Amino acid sequence: MEKLLYVNACVRENSRTAQLATHVLERLNGHLTEVCLAKERIRPLDARWLAKRNELIAAENFNRPDFQYAKQFADAEEIVIAAPYWDLSFPAALKAFFEAVNVIGITFAYDGDGTIRHLCRAGRLIYVTTAGGSVGQNMGYEYIRALCGRFYGIPETICFKAEGLDVAGADVTAIMQKAEQEIDGKIPG
């Protein structure tokens, strides 16, 4: 059974992003693990933790709970991220999550010549987002896509989005249905 990782960066109770992500997850098969960032309270890197983390990485001591997110991410065969579009990107909790995931020796490594060796198993990462207005270039998704390609070796990234949801007169139901139809077209059920 495929290992699915769902990274939920939604904070609103009736999140439209989470609604679209649920639609994606219903189309996938496998053992699902959810990381709800609103509940996890992952701390961003600071000087003290970075020094300790580097010490642990150098000793290849990955037994601390702080490395659980990197291990889950590296071990997942498919990853779904739900992140609302905030301030041209995504909520800060998702950035802190990726600081916890980006661990040399777990999600990637450097070969002797400095070449990055990918250590993640996932064949695909699906990024789901919604926006009140028009997005244009989604720098949050572009950041995630760059991490997947450069560090993790995840060969396929897909972004599903519904935008313009808070524009006066918007037909929210129609916009969400259109996004769900796009999901249905790209992810066979």
Side-chain angles (χ1 to χ4, degrees), residues 150-164:
R150 179 147 170 87
F151 286 106
Y152 312 138
I154 299 173
E156 181 182 8
T157 60
I158 301 172
C159 180
F160 293 114
K161 62 186 176 186
E163 53 185 83

Side-chain angles (χ1 to χ4, degrees), residues 77-143:
E77 294 169 288
E78 185 149 28
I79 300 164
V80 176
I81 296 175
Y85 185 73
W86 288 1
D87 305 325
L88 302 178
S89 184
F90 46 66
L94 188 55
K95 175 63 169 129
F97 173 80
F98 275 102
E99 287 179 350
V101 163
N102 225 39
V103 177
I104 296 170
I106 298 177
T107 53
F108 72 100
Y110 290 108
D111 289 335
D113 64 355
T115 304
I116 294 174
R117 186 167 20 100
H118 310 125
L119 301 178
C120 293
R121 297 176 59 196
R124 177 170 65 178
L125 181 139
I126 300 168
Y127 187 85
V128 180
T129 191
T130 59
S134 177
V135 172
Q137 182 183 10
N138 186 325
M139 290 182 256
Y141 170 65
E142 294 300 326
Y143 170 75

Side-chain angles (χ1 to χ4, degrees), residues 140-181:
Y141 170 65
E142 294 300 326
Y143 170 75
I144 303 298
R145 192 173 80 164
L147 285 173
C148 287
R150 179 147 170 87
F151 286 106
Y152 312 138
I154 299 173
E156 181 182 8
T157 60
I158 301 172
C159 180
F160 293 114
K161 62 186 176 186
E163 53 185 83
L165 295 167
D166 296 333
V167 173
D171 185 343
V172 174
T173 301
I175 294 168
M176 293 294 285
Q177 285 175 342
K178 182 179 177 189
E180 288 176 354
Q181 288 170 354

Side-chain angles (χ1 to χ4, degrees), residues 3 8 13 18 24 49 51 56 68 74 79 101 112 131 142 162 164 186:
K3 292 182 181 179
N8 181 352
E13 188 174 319
V24 168
W49 169 233
L56 293 166
Q68 74 181 19
I79 300 164
V101 163
E142 294 300 326
K186 292 187 179 178

